[in-house]
Amino acid sequence: MPTTRTLAASLAATAIVALTLTGCAGGAAEATGTDGSVDAAAATSISAFGDLAGLEAAAIEEGALNVIALPRDWANYGAVLDLFAEKYPEITITEAAPDGSSAEEIQAAENLAGQDTAPDVFDLGLAVALANTDQFAPYQVATWSDIPDALKEESGLFVGDYGGYMAVGYDPDAVPAPESLADLLGADYKGKVAINGDPTQAGAAFAAVGLAAVQNDGSVDDFQAGIDFFGDLNAAGNFVKIDPTPATIASGETPVVFDWDYLNVGYGTQLEGERNWEVVVFPGTGYAGYYNQAINVDAPHPAAARLWQEFLYSDDAQNLWLEGGARPARADAMAAEGTIDADLFDALPAVPDTTVVPTAAQSEAAATLLGEKWAAAVQ
């Protein structure tokens, strides 16, 4: 398989996760109570349960899994959730706040701490993951060695799972095809350009500002050029402060959308026959990123949370990300093993010549800068 089609290979070169965090619990012994029972909340790998069957039994005994902020049209999450439910019908999945942001996931965990309704697991952008490591329980899935080091915090507090490139989707019947970010400042785009969320809280919106930075002579070391671009977009009257969805695209409210390539492709698929929708990854420097999985340290269903992680990094779920147009974290290893969906893998667009992703320190600096400057720039 051509490695140019995998984002993981590019990200490994940029070493996006530069954290060295301590406190990784050992293994089965530390997760075993004095009576020999497994303390699922302390388990850092499947060995604590003996094997997958042992983990499945413990999760089925709990009988529930609380997930949060997982839109079913996001990277094929609907199919992922449905397959887990099909495999484990004894486990009731509660899907809370499907349109919530990464920051709102953490807020929910804090507000619901100690309650059965608290989220068991998280799906987070990197900046939010880095800022909230105390909220996570370390866990290394059975396929840990297949995941590039650049995509995982070393103890398993959070792990990249699926990713893509920041792109612009647009309705060719409403606007001319943009060939660069500068085009979006023109009169043809007045009142028509949106981003997916607030960049101080949502990973996709954060990445939109990052893309604008690197495409405007800035860098991942300094997002100011990206903030300036959106300030100019706002001053031109082109920036629409509406979170885009298939419904807003269908209604014409958001005919131009900054979002991950796989989400923009998904919008087009959902609206086929209703709206034309094209997607462009601008030439030059590409901005890429992975979303991260993590277990709530206070998960009310700790065994089910760990079973969910094992499932997400299985061949089945990794191929479902691919089906949704995203690049799975285990893509290279699965390609070598012959377990990846070859047709879907080969159909992925080649990665840009230059790919950037902020390191941990760069993400933290960018988040701080956005907190200080974003609201004033687009007010």
Side-chain angles (χ1 to χ4, degrees):
M1 297 293 174
T3 57
T4 53
R5 297 197 181 279
T6 67
L7 181 52
S10 297
L11 296 189
T14 63
I16 64 166
V17 178
L19 291 182
T20 302
L21 300 177
T22 59
C24 179
E30 295 182 17
T32 303
T34 56
D35 62 353
S37 62
V38 175
D39 179 3
T44 59
S45 74
I46 202 168
S47 63
F49 303 90
D51 54 18
L52 179 60
L55 174 56
E56 289 173 333
I60 288 170
E61 184 174 354
E62 291 175 349
L65 174 71
N66 298 338
V67 302
I68 186 170
L70 305 184
R72 286 182 155 265
D73 57 359
W74 178 289
N76 210 24
Y77 247 124
V80 172
L81 288 160
D82 290 345
L83 183 57
F84 184 86
E86 181 182 332
K87 286 175 67 72
Y88 305 109
E90 308 92 341
I91 300 174
T92 300
I93 304 175
T94 299
E95 301 174 40
D99 295 321
S101 68
S102 293
E104 288 168 339
E105 295 180 52
I106 301 299
Q107 291 167 8
E110 293 171 345
N111 294 339
L112 298 171
Q115 301 182 39
D116 288 343
T117 53
D120 287 304
V121 291
F122 305 109
D123 179 294
L124 304 160
L126 181 60
V128 173
L130 289 167
N132 293 280
T133 54
D134 289 347
Q135 191 65 53
F136 310 145
Y139 187 78
Q140 297 182 358
V141 294
T143 53
W144 180 260
S145 63
D146 288 350
I147 303 168
D149 289 344
L151 298 185
K152 57 195 181 189
E153 188 280 321
E154 63 181 8
S155 72
L157 286 175
F158 59 89
V159 187
D161 192 12
Y162 59 90
Y165 283 82
M166 184 50 48
V168 170
Y170 64 95
D171 181 348
D173 298 321
V175 296
E179 297 181 0
S180 69
L181 284 188
D183 288 348
L184 300 180
L185 296 170
D188 288 332
Y189 301 90
K190 197 170 189 67
K192 294 178 179 177
V193 184
I195 62 175
N196 192 350
D198 179 337
T200 66
Q201 298 193 34
F206 179 96
V209 181
L211 174 66
V214 301
Q215 291 263 327
N216 283 284
D217 298 323
S219 72
V220 287
D221 287 310
D222 186 358
F223 271 34
Q224 187 61 54
I227 295 171
D228 291 343
F229 171 80
F230 279 101
D232 292 343
L233 195 72
N234 188 59
N238 295 8
F239 186 37
V240 181
K241 295 164 190 162
I242 298 173
D243 287 352
T245 66
T248 67
I249 293 170
S251 68
E253 294 174 273
T254 58
V256 182
V257 173
F258 281 84
D259 214 336
W260 296 112
D261 53 357
Y262 51 89
L263 297 184
N264 263 317
V265 169
Y267 296 150
T269 300
Q270 291 178 67
L271 297 171
E272 188 172 357
E274 184 176 0
R275 281 278 179 184
N276 291 320
W277 193 248
E278 302 291 338
V279 182
V280 58
V281 176
F282 292 124
T285 302
Y287 186 105
Y290 273 75
Y291 276 82
N292 298 273
Q293 304 295 340
I295 296 172
N296 186 358
V297 69
D298 298 316
H301 312 105
R306 285 154 175 79
L307 181 60
W308 174 249
Q309 301 302 304
E310 294 289 353
F311 172 72
L312 291 180
Y313 291 91
S314 68
D315 289 351
D316 286 344
Q318 294 280 291
N319 274 318
L320 286 177
W321 299 136
L322 191 58
E323 187 177 306
R327 294 162 171 84
R330 292 182 52 236
D332 286 340
M334 290 173 61
E337 295 163 1
T339 58
I340 203 162
D341 186 315
D343 290 339
L344 292 175
F345 192 45
D346 288 343
L348 287 175
V351 301
D353 291 338
T354 302
T355 295
V356 296
V357 179
T359 64
Q362 289 165 337
S363 292
E364 290 170 338
T368 298
L369 184 67
L370 282 163
E372 295 170 351
K373 302 286 188 69
W374 175 254
V378 299
Q379 67 183 6

